[in-house]
PDB file of all heavy atoms in Angstrom:
ATOM      1  N   TYR A  13      10.975 -15.023   9.433  1.00 96.00           N
ATOM      2  CA  TYR A  13      10.711 -14.653  10.826  1.00 96.00           C
ATOM      3  C   TYR A  13      11.301 -15.710  11.747  1.00 96.00           C
ATOM      4  O   TYR A  13      11.370 -16.887  11.394  1.00 96.00           O
ATOM      5  CB  TYR A  13       9.203 -14.569  11.064  1.00 96.00           C
ATOM      6  CG  TYR A  13       8.507 -13.593  10.137  1.00 96.00           C
ATOM      7  CD1 TYR A  13       7.992 -14.006   8.915  1.00 96.00           C
ATOM      8  CD2 TYR A  13       8.407 -12.252  10.478  1.00 96.00           C
ATOM      9  CE1 TYR A  13       7.363 -13.110   8.057  1.00 96.00           C
ATOM     10  CE2 TYR A  13       7.789 -11.344   9.629  1.00 96.00           C
ATOM     11  CZ  TYR A  13       7.267 -11.782   8.424  1.00 96.00           C
ATOM     12  OH  TYR A  13       6.667 -10.888   7.584  1.00 96.00           O
ATOM     13  N   GLY A  43      -0.509 -17.030   3.835  1.00 96.00           N
ATOM     14  CA  GLY A  43       0.810 -17.517   4.232  1.00 96.00           C
ATOM     15  C   GLY A  43       1.801 -17.622   3.096  1.00 96.00           C
ATOM     16  O   GLY A  43       2.935 -18.067   3.293  1.00 96.00           O
ATOM     17  N   SER A  44       1.437 -17.195   1.886  1.00 97.00           N
ATOM     18  CA  SER A  44       2.337 -17.332   0.742  1.00 97.00           C
ATOM     19  C   SER A  44       3.392 -16.233   0.685  1.00 97.00           C
ATOM     20  O   SER A  44       4.296 -16.285  -0.148  1.00 97.00           O
ATOM     21  CB  SER A  44       1.535 -17.377  -0.569  1.00 97.00           C
ATOM     22  OG  SER A  44       0.744 -16.216  -0.720  1.00 97.00           O
ATOM     23  N   GLY A  45       3.266 -15.207   1.548  1.00 97.00           N
ATOM     24  CA  GLY A  45       4.311 -14.177   1.602  1.00 97.00           C
ATOM     25  C   GLY A  45       3.894 -12.813   1.081  1.00 97.00           C
ATOM     26  O   GLY A  45       4.721 -11.911   0.950  1.00 97.00           O
ATOM     27  N   LYS A  46       2.602 -12.626   0.821  1.00 97.00           N
ATOM     28  CA  LYS A  46       2.131 -11.367   0.222  1.00 97.00           C
ATOM     29  C   LYS A  46       2.433 -10.165   1.114  1.00 97.00           C
ATOM     30  O   LYS A  46       2.975  -9.157   0.648  1.00 97.00           O
ATOM     31  CB  LYS A  46       0.617 -11.448  -0.046  1.00 97.00           C
ATOM     32  CG  LYS A  46       0.209 -12.605  -0.942  1.00 97.00           C
ATOM     33  CD  LYS A  46      -1.296 -12.618  -1.207  1.00 97.00           C
ATOM     34  CE  LYS A  46      -2.149 -12.839   0.032  1.00 97.00           C
ATOM     35  NZ  LYS A  46      -1.950 -14.165   0.674  1.00 97.00           N
ATOM     36  N   SER A  47       2.064 -10.270   2.387  1.00 96.00           N
ATOM     37  CA  SER A  47       2.292  -9.137   3.293  1.00 96.00           C
ATOM     38  C   SER A  47       3.784  -8.868   3.468  1.00 96.00           C
ATOM     39  O   SER A  47       4.216  -7.711   3.506  1.00 96.00           O
ATOM     40  CB  SER A  47       1.673  -9.397   4.667  1.00 96.00           C
ATOM     41  OG  SER A  47       0.272  -9.359   4.570  1.00 96.00           O
ATOM     42  N   THR A  48       4.553  -9.934   3.560  1.00 97.00           N
ATOM     43  CA  THR A  48       6.001  -9.769   3.722  1.00 97.00           C
ATOM     44  C   THR A  48       6.594  -9.081   2.500  1.00 97.00           C
ATOM     45  O   THR A  48       7.448  -8.193   2.630  1.00 97.00           O
ATOM     46  CB  THR A  48       6.664 -11.145   3.957  1.00 97.00           C
ATOM     47  OG1 THR A  48       6.022 -11.784   5.069  1.00 97.00           O
ATOM     48  CG2 THR A  48       8.143 -10.995   4.256  1.00 97.00           C
TER      49      THR A  48
HETATM   50  P1  ADP B 301       0.376 -13.704   3.413  1.00 63.22           P
HETATM   51  O1  ADP B 301       0.364 -12.213   3.481  1.00 63.22           O
HETATM   52  O2  ADP B 301       0.446 -14.240   2.025  1.00 63.22           O
HETATM   53  O3  ADP B 301      -0.700 -14.357   4.215  1.00 63.22           O
HETATM   54  P2  ADP B 301       2.716 -13.478   5.119  1.00 63.22           P
HETATM   55  O4  ADP B 301       3.727 -12.684   4.408  1.00 63.22           O
HETATM   56  O5  ADP B 301       1.912 -12.808   6.167  1.00 63.22           O
HETATM   57  O6  ADP B 301       1.767 -14.192   4.051  1.00 63.22           O
HETATM   58  O7  ADP B 301       3.412 -14.731   5.806  1.00 63.22           O
HETATM   59  C1  ADP B 301       4.374 -15.543   5.127  1.00 63.22           C
HETATM   60  C2  ADP B 301       4.891 -16.599   6.121  1.00 63.22           C
HETATM   61  O8  ADP B 301       5.544 -15.942   7.191  1.00 63.22           O
HETATM   62  C3  ADP B 301       3.804 -17.458   6.735  1.00 63.22           C
HETATM   63  O9  ADP B 301       4.329 -18.752   6.913  1.00 63.22           O
HETATM   64  C4  ADP B 301       3.558 -16.805   8.063  1.00 63.22           C
HETATM   65  O10 ADP B 301       3.089 -17.720   9.005  1.00 63.22           O
HETATM   66  C5  ADP B 301       4.916 -16.281   8.422  1.00 63.22           C
HETATM   67  N1  ADP B 301       4.849 -15.055   9.248  1.00 63.22           N
HETATM   68  C6  ADP B 301       4.302 -13.876   8.877  1.00 63.22           C
HETATM   69  N2  ADP B 301       4.426 -12.970   9.858  1.00 63.22           N
HETATM   70  C7  ADP B 301       5.061 -13.594  10.885  1.00 63.22           C
HETATM   71  C8  ADP B 301       5.490 -13.191  12.174  1.00 63.22           C
HETATM   72  N3  ADP B 301       5.292 -11.965  12.623  1.00 63.22           N
HETATM   73  N4  ADP B 301       6.123 -14.122  12.928  1.00 63.22           N
HETATM   74  C9  ADP B 301       6.346 -15.359  12.475  1.00 63.22           C
HETATM   75  N5  ADP B 301       5.971 -15.801  11.271  1.00 63.22           N
HETATM   76  C10 ADP B 301       5.343 -14.936  10.482  1.00 63.22           C
END
Side-chain angles (χ1 to χ4, degrees):
Y13 303 91
S44 58
K46 303 182 296 296
S47 290
T48 305

